[in-house]
Amino acid sequence: MASSSGTSSGSSFLQNSGSEEDLQQLMDQRKRKRMISNRESARRSRMRKQKHLDDLTGQVTNLRKENNQILASMNVTTQHYLNVEAENSILRAQLSELSRRLESLNEIIAVLDANNNCNGLVMDHNEPYSFNFAQNDTMLDGFNVTNSWNYLSANHPIMTADVLQY
């Protein structure tokens, strides 16, 4: 019996060592699968990170391009604004000059009206710049009305050349 018990303990040991080897192989196989799975997961993670980085790089490029377009548009708008301001300044100067000229012409008309009323000259206000003389004489108190009026109504430039230049 001793030999049979020895044999049976020997075969039990062989079975156990076979089970341990199988168990070891199974554990090694699981380790390999886990290692492969981890490698694959790490690869996917690196790919996601790379895609995210590429997306961010593309977004930065688009935002820089948009920013440059906005800056260019701002520069054009600023230049347009400065041009309009310069033109506005010229127009204000012209308005001031024309206002002074109109005031001077109104003063001249007032003097002529006062002088004409005293000397029998009647101004026809229906026709601008025309006179009806009550007398045939165009000289009134040493003032040649016809020639003076022609001088006033001559084609004088409204603005000087330097005002017109930008």
Side-chain angles (χ1 to χ4, degrees):
M1 272 195 35
S3 66
S4 74
S5 71
T7 313
S8 94
S9 72
S11 73
S12 168
F13 177 75
L14 284 177
Q15 285 179 347
N16 283 342
S17 72
S19 291
E20 286 179 17
E21 283 181 16
D22 289 343
L23 186 58
Q24 187 63 37
Q25 284 179 349
L26 184 61
M27 287 176 63
D28 287 346
Q29 188 178 8
R30 285 183 183 167
K31 272 187 181 178
R32 277 191 299 258
K33 281 184 181 180
R34 203 171 332 121
M35 195 170 20
I36 290 171
S37 175
N38 285 347
R39 284 181 184 165
E40 184 62 29
S41 177
R43 187 184 66 80
R44 285 192 308 265
S45 177
R46 285 191 302 272
M47 287 177 64
R48 278 193 308 271
K49 285 182 183 179
Q50 185 63 45
K51 184 180 182 318
H52 186 64
L53 182 64
D54 291 345
D55 291 345
L56 289 176
T57 303
Q59 195 174 18
V60 165
T61 301
N62 287 337
L63 289 173
R64 283 185 177 156
K65 183 178 178 183
E66 185 178 338
N67 193 28
N68 288 337
Q69 289 173 344
I70 290 170
L71 287 174
S73 176
M74 274 182 47
N75 288 338
V76 167
T77 303
T78 301
Q79 188 61 44
H80 181 68
Y81 169 78
L82 293 174
N83 290 342
V84 168
E85 278 295 317
E87 184 179 353
N88 197 12
S89 177
I90 290 169
L91 290 173
R92 281 189 190 119
Q94 290 173 351
L95 173 66
S96 177
E97 174 66 22
L98 290 173
S99 294
R100 282 195 301 272
R101 285 183 180 208
L102 178 61
E103 187 178 321
S104 296
L105 289 173
N106 284 334
E107 288 174 5
I108 291 170
I109 289 172
V111 167
L112 289 176
D113 278 346
N115 196 17
N116 290 339
N117 287 338
C118 292
N119 293 318
L121 181 66
V122 178
M123 181 157 186
D124 184 2
H125 292 285
N126 292 330
E127 297 240 357
Y129 313 118
S130 67
F131 291 96
N132 293 326
F133 289 97
Q135 302 172 346
N136 289 335
D137 190 6
T138 59
M139 288 292 282
L140 299 172
D141 293 335
F143 184 72
N144 186 334
V145 176
T146 308
N147 288 340
S148 297
W149 190 254
N150 285 339
Y151 173 75
L152 292 175
S153 65
N155 288 332
H156 294 291
I158 292 177
M159 59 202 87
T160 61
D162 59 0
V163 174
L164 289 176
Q165 295 176 349
Y166 289 101

